[in-house]
Amino acid sequence: MEEYAREPCPWRIVDDCGGAFTMGAIGGGIFQAIKGFRNSPVGVNHRLRGSLTAIKTRAPQLGGSFAVWGGLFSMIDCSMVRMRGKEDPWNSITSGALTGAILAARNGPVAMVGSAAMGGILLALIEGAGILLTRFASTQFPNGPQLSEDPSQLQPPSFTDYRQYQ
Amino acid sequence: LPASLGRSCLGRWLLATRGWALLGTGTGTGSCSCLRWRHQPPLPLRAARQSIGTQAGGLRAEKPGDNSKDVSVQRALNEETLVSAAQKVKEAGRDFTYFIVVLVGIGVTGGLFYVIFKELFSSSSPNKIYGDALEKCRSHPEIIGVFGDSIKGYGEATRRGRRQHVSHIEYVKDGLKHMRLKFYIEGTESGKQGTVHVEVKENLETGRFEVRYIFVDVETYPRRTIVIEDNR
């Protein structure tokens, strides 16, 4: 179990925003490099210059969109955690839906609902994958501690530590 | 020479020519009915053009270009019927692969949805039990006295800092399923952290889990243990 010296939540927003930007910029960079390469006149110099121009123009845009999505999602997530007082998969799903809705706000209410549904479903899938992975990882270590006795804190209350699981 | 033909929707007249056998009829009232025909040799373009000019009653709206399009379409149709069986097999194989990919995608998505539904909505999921235990903690006067009014709960910290996973262990004892959970609570008073241990046992009649004990370890010095519920 890792101890965090400080609360993860407000700093998590910056973390997620930056991570999303990096993902978008790198992915966009690769895509735009290939696209720019192919859409340039014949000749390696031309093509390389074409890729570079495409990367310079388009990759930051994609990174910016991703960063907006990630930052908004994390902000709403942290607000929900603060409001509800507990950390749940429900927070992520609702945050995803609200993020989708807010980012489609320019296109009217119907588009907001559709975007919210997409965001919520996407986050639900991601959460499901995360839960699956955790369950898988925990079954890799079949030797759990022996659990035949009740913990000693119950009766009588004592001050000894009884560490049952990792 | 065969007369012109067009797929004319203005047709009040039937065209029947040597190489052509009309199968459909154009109605007398002139509504748009497509004349279907079956032809053996492809029609020469020129003859079509010429015959338009000589057609009695005139089909002015039918441009020669239309005829050429019809002819080329018919030519293409004719050639397509000669497509080889090998191509058909290739196309069928490609469609089949796509179908398999779609099926796999649907299967994976369905599996993920099932997992998340079970986690959020089933009453025997660790998340639900954690929620119920947290509610009980929040309404216990001694806990409120130690930790303050608003109590927040969280589970194990993952690498990214999200603390959604509640550590739990399931085991079977005397033929009944037990589950133990551990999560942490924190109150408004600074520095006070607590560890909540919950154990639930399966009740065979109702099929749901019922609580065996809930107690909280407060991380003060000296340590303190608050027992919320003890149903052993």
Side-chain angles (χ1 to χ4, degrees):
Chain A
M1 187 183 79
E2 297 169 2
E3 291 285 357
Y4 282 91
R6 57 186 188 187
E7 274 292 315
C9 219
W11 286 267
R12 202 163 86 194
I13 301 177
V14 178
D15 217 356
D16 281 350
C17 195
F21 178 82
T22 313
M23 265 187 356
I26 291 185
I30 295 180
F31 261 121
Q32 292 300 327
I34 298 179
K35 206 161 144 184
F37 193 86
R38 292 178 60 187
N39 292 348
S40 300
V42 181
V44 180
N45 275 340
H46 286 293
R47 290 206 191 256
L48 284 183
R49 220 174 322 142
S51 319
L52 204 60
T53 318
I55 294 179
K56 271 199 302 191
T57 10
R58 300 279 173 76
Q61 287 175 2
L62 198 62
S65 321
F66 270 59
V68 161
W69 214 98
L72 192 59
F73 168 76
S74 219
M75 272 201 311
I76 302 182
D77 199 29
C78 280
S79 321
M80 292 207 62
V81 162
R82 184 69 183 248
M83 264 183 3
R84 284 179 83 210
K86 79 180 185 174
E87 310 220 2
D88 234 1
W90 272 122
N91 291 345
S92 300
I93 298 179
T94 324
S95 312
L98 281 178
T99 310
I102 291 179
L103 287 180
R106 276 194 196 166
N107 306 339
V110 179
M112 283 175 74
V113 169
S115 201
M118 262 181 26
I121 290 181
L122 188 70
L123 259 298
L125 288 178
I126 295 181
E127 286 296 311
I131 293 175
L132 260 186
L133 274 173
T134 331
R135 297 277 163 88
F136 252 166
S138 67
T139 54
Q140 298 287 347
F141 304 97
N143 307 324
Q146 290 307 90
L147 296 170
S148 42
E149 304 140 19
D150 286 333
S152 59
Q153 285 106 323
L154 274 185
Q155 199 178 47
S158 67
F159 295 121
T160 60
D161 265 359
Y162 190 85
R163 286 279 171 263
Q164 302 171 31
Y165 19 87
Q166 66 267 28
Chain B
L1 283 172
S4 89
L5 25 93
R7 298 230 303 273
S8 91
C9 280
L10 316 171
R12 276 179 203 225
W13 32 271
L14 295 176
L15 301 173
T17 68
R18 203 176 30 173
W20 305 86
L22 276 173
L23 294 182
T25 66
T27 68
T29 57
S31 63
C32 229
S33 69
C34 263
L35 307 176
R36 287 179 300 169
W37 52 79
R38 187 184 63 224
H39 64 280
Q40 284 85 20
L43 182 65
L45 191 55
R46 251 177 160 212
R49 282 204 187 136
Q50 282 172 0
S51 47
I52 275 195
T54 60
Q55 186 56 39
L59 190 55
R60 274 91 30 212
E62 191 87 67
K63 297 187 268 298
D66 276 342
N67 267 16
S68 69
K69 268 189 264 162
D70 289 344
V71 167
S72 53
V73 162
Q74 287 148 30
R75 268 212 185 106
L77 281 177
N78 212 7
E79 282 160 7
E80 248 182 48
T81 56
L82 303 172
V83 89
S84 60
Q87 270 207 326
K88 280 196 193 156
V89 164
K90 248 198 299 187
E91 271 209 31
R94 203 171 42 184
D95 291 343
F96 184 66
T97 342
Y98 288 169
F99 182 62
I100 294 290
V101 168
V102 165
L103 269 189
V104 165
I106 292 182
V108 166
T109 313
L112 288 178
F113 268 132
Y114 171 71
V115 163
I116 191 70
F117 273 6
K118 207 163 74 120
E119 177 78 14
L120 289 179
F121 290 114
S122 118
S123 64
S124 59
S125 74
N127 219 288
K128 198 82 179 357
I129 300 174
Y130 151 62
D132 295 339
L134 189 61
E135 286 308 306
K136 288 192 182 150
C137 287
R138 279 186 174 149
S139 49
H140 199 255
E142 212 177 331
I143 302 277
I144 297 179
V146 170
F147 286 104
D149 244 344
S150 75
I151 296 180
K152 52 178 213 175
Y154 51 93
E156 303 299 320
T158 65
R159 211 184 37 203
R160 263 182 71 223
R162 307 173 77 216
R163 305 183 288 196
Q164 282 180 4
H165 179 243
V166 171
S167 108
H168 63 278
I169 293 185
E170 290 189 20
Y171 62 99
V172 178
K173 183 171 165 183
D174 303 328
L176 288 179
K177 270 201 283 196
H178 295 241
M179 191 190 311
R180 279 197 197 171
L181 270 88
K182 177 175 81 152
F183 61 94
Y184 310 97
I185 58 175
E186 218 176 83
T188 44
E189 314 211 357
S190 63
K192 289 278 184 61
Q193 275 193 346
T195 308
V196 182
H197 300 254
V198 181
E199 166 153 355
V200 291
K201 187 170 70 168
E202 183 190 12
N203 185 349
L204 280 176
E205 290 133 39
T206 65
R208 317 178 64 146
F209 280 100
E210 46 177 42
V211 173
R212 261 190 92 211
Y213 60 76
I214 303 179
F215 68 90
V216 184
D217 265 338
V218 187
E219 313 264 344
T220 55
Y221 183 79
R223 305 199 86 147
R224 226 182 112 179
T225 303
I226 307 175
V227 177
I228 297 186
E229 218 177 294
D230 194 351
N231 304 332
R232 291 171 305 152

